[in-house]
Amino acid sequence: MNDELVSLSELRLAIDAAFSESSNDVSLHRFLASRAKTMHRGIGFGDGDQVELLQEFVHRYIKQVPDVLAHFHKISLAAGVEDELEAFLHIAIDYFLQPLEITASHRGLLKIMDAAYLAHRLIEEVNDRFIGNAGVSISPIDNTEDNVVMHFLIGESLANELDLAVHYSVEMLISQNALFSKQSLMLYVEAQKQNQRKQQSVYKEESAIRLALNRY
């Protein structure tokens, strides 16, 4: 398997194309303006226009997906579980290239926003399984809080349906007995635990994909 999936290049192109085609589209701004009016008080912002901050958050949330997936793939190679995790990477990419029917009502960046949520949630769920079963994280970021914000923006009904789609994919594809007992993964986990503090520092430096939205 190549160090970076060929389909990741397609994903980057698809995201760039979506932003280019939507450069003069105000539908996302209008959508976020309506959501900002009902924003949960637990989600705070820094100074500035609230809708503009939300839009910047959404843009960064979408654009970081390829980097997160690339790093996830890199870790799967290092742990020798690329064959087991490749299906998840392709599912995450297909969310963009072949959107789910339940997102059919959205267009442009709104549809890409849905796909980004699916991809981030998929990585979050797989990573949670690794933490629970192996005691280590294989994701370059903790995207839990950002996913909560995006869940609100997408809307409870649709977001819950997307969560179910992610949960179903994870349940269908992860075989815990086969994956978490694999010798290469066990060796990787042992090495990570021995050097956990140093490794966490490296991950933070390498990923450089922190969102700009400040929450207090």
Side-chain angles (χ1 to χ4, degrees):
M1 182 180 292
N2 295 329
D3 286 345
E4 178 162 324
L5 298 172
V6 173
S7 48
L8 272 176
S9 298
E10 297 178 30
L11 173 58
R12 296 180 194 278
L13 290 174
I15 291 176
D16 288 344
F19 273 93
S20 178
E21 293 169 4
S22 304
S23 59
N24 296 318
D25 186 2
V26 298
S27 58
L28 177 62
H29 191 276
R30 290 174 178 170
F31 176 81
L32 294 178
S34 67
R35 301 301 291 155
K37 294 177 182 178
T38 58
M39 181 68 69
H40 191 280
R41 63 182 182 181
I43 303 174
F45 301 90
D47 296 332
D49 183 276
Q50 303 301 291
V51 178
E52 292 297 330
L53 286 171
L54 272 180
Q55 186 161 289
E56 176 67 14
F57 168 79
V58 170
H59 286 183
R60 289 178 178 272
Y61 185 88
I62 294 170
K63 289 179 178 179
Q64 71 176 323
V65 169
D67 291 333
V68 171
L69 296 182
H71 196 101
F72 184 84
H73 177 57
K74 176 182 176 182
I75 297 303
S76 73
L77 288 171
V81 291
E82 64 273 18
D83 290 340
E84 289 80 3
L85 298 185
E86 181 180 10
F88 290 105
L89 289 164
H90 284 300
I91 288 173
I93 293 169
D94 283 345
Y95 288 145
F96 289 84
L97 305 182
Q98 300 176 21
L100 300 180
E101 289 186 9
I102 55 177
T103 66
S105 63
H106 285 170
R107 294 288 184 273
L109 288 183
L110 288 176
K111 184 179 286 289
I112 294 292
M113 184 175 78
D114 296 337
Y117 178 74
L118 282 162
H120 278 292
R121 283 288 291 113
L122 186 69
I123 294 300
E124 181 187 3
E125 286 291 327
V126 175
N127 191 54
D128 284 347
R129 301 300 179 92
F130 267 80
I131 294 174
N133 288 276
V136 297
S137 171
I138 59 169
S139 175
I141 60 170
D142 179 359
N143 59 6
T144 304
E145 185 180 355
D146 299 318
N147 289 341
V148 170
V149 175
M150 189 58 69
H151 184 103
F152 168 79
L153 292 179
I154 290 174
E156 189 73 16
S157 179
L158 177 56
N160 285 341
E161 289 190 68
L162 299 182
D163 286 339
L164 283 175
V166 167
H167 181 74
Y168 177 77
S169 296
V170 173
E171 289 296 320
M172 287 292 292
L173 291 176
I174 275 194
S175 173
Q176 293 185 6
N177 290 334
L179 176 60
F180 295 108
S181 62
K182 192 169 182 179
Q183 184 66 19
S184 61
L185 178 59
M186 294 173 68
L187 291 173
Y188 175 82
V189 168
E190 183 179 355
Q192 293 305 300
K193 287 180 177 179
Q194 290 177 351
N195 200 25
Q196 189 172 22
R197 289 185 180 178
K198 178 180 178 182
Q199 198 67 32
Q200 286 177 344
S201 177
V202 171
Y203 286 166
K204 289 178 181 179
E205 182 179 348
E206 285 184 353
S207 60
I209 45 179
R210 308 296 275 176
L211 298 181
L213 183 62
N214 293 318
R215 292 186 288 279
Y216 301 93

